[in-house]
């Protein structure tokens, strides 16, 4: 853990506000990667949950934590499936257009 620094206090109280979302959350600053990371004591397979976008510790970390909670997993999976279906249809359409162009 020598490459990490525990963030317990910050000017915007993000560390404390994340605890309101989930008591198991804590913030580490990764000294090697130069980024903030949210970890959980209850995360399966390690504590890492997500890295903070743009390396700025602000309320976006809280919004992201709320958006990705395990309680919303079914909703997230449905969104991913819908996006994957859309992408697959687009790729299929593109492949069909290429075949038609080659035939004509």
């Amino acid at each position: 853990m020598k490459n990490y620094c525990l963030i317990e206090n910050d000017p915007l109280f993000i560390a404390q506000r994340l605890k309101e979302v989930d008591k198991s959350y804590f913030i580490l600053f990764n000294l090697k990667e130069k980024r903030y990371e949210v970890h959980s004591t209850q995360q399966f397979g390690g504590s890492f949950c997500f890295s903070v976008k743009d390396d700025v510790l602000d309320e976006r970390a809280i919004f992201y934590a709320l958006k990705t909670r395990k309680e919303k997993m079914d909703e997230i999976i449905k969104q991913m499936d819908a996006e994957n279906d859309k992408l697959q249809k687009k790729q299929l359409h593109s492949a069909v257009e290429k075949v038609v162009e080659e035939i004509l």
Side-chain angles (χ1 to χ4, degrees):
M1 285 290 245
K2 66 181 179 178
N3 290 329
Y4 293 92
C5 179
L6 178 64
I7 305 298
E8 295 180 293
N9 298 307
D10 60 273
L12 299 176
F13 304 101
I14 303 301
Q16 293 87 343
R17 291 165 61 192
L18 274 172
K19 292 266 186 210
E20 293 173 7
V21 173
D22 188 322
K23 290 180 182 175
S24 72
Y25 283 155
F26 60 98
I27 300 172
L28 295 177
F29 184 75
N30 185 325
L31 297 168
K32 184 177 178 183
E33 301 292 328
K34 306 279 191 258
R35 68 180 185 194
Y36 292 98
E37 299 175 351
V38 175
H39 291 252
S40 170
T41 57
Q42 302 202 350
Q43 179 73 12
F44 181 73
S47 66
F48 179 82
C49 295
F50 61 91
S51 59
V52 175
K53 283 191 170 227
D54 301 326
D55 300 326
V56 177
L57 191 58
D58 60 18
E59 67 182 1
R60 290 177 292 177
I62 297 167
F63 293 138
Y64 190 76
L66 287 166
K67 180 181 172 184
T68 59
R69 289 181 54 88
K70 63 184 174 185
E71 289 84 2
K72 293 192 172 196
M73 186 170 40
D74 289 338
E75 180 182 331
I76 292 169
I77 290 172
K78 283 180 187 176
Q79 286 176 347
M80 288 171 55
D81 286 343
E83 288 175 21
N84 287 338
D85 287 344
K86 195 176 186 180
L87 181 60
Q88 189 176 18
K89 286 178 185 176
K90 185 177 179 179
Q91 290 173 336
L92 181 61
H93 185 267
S94 177
V96 168
E97 281 183 346
K98 283 183 181 180
V99 170
V100 169
E101 284 178 12
E102 289 179 13
I103 292 174
L104 299 175

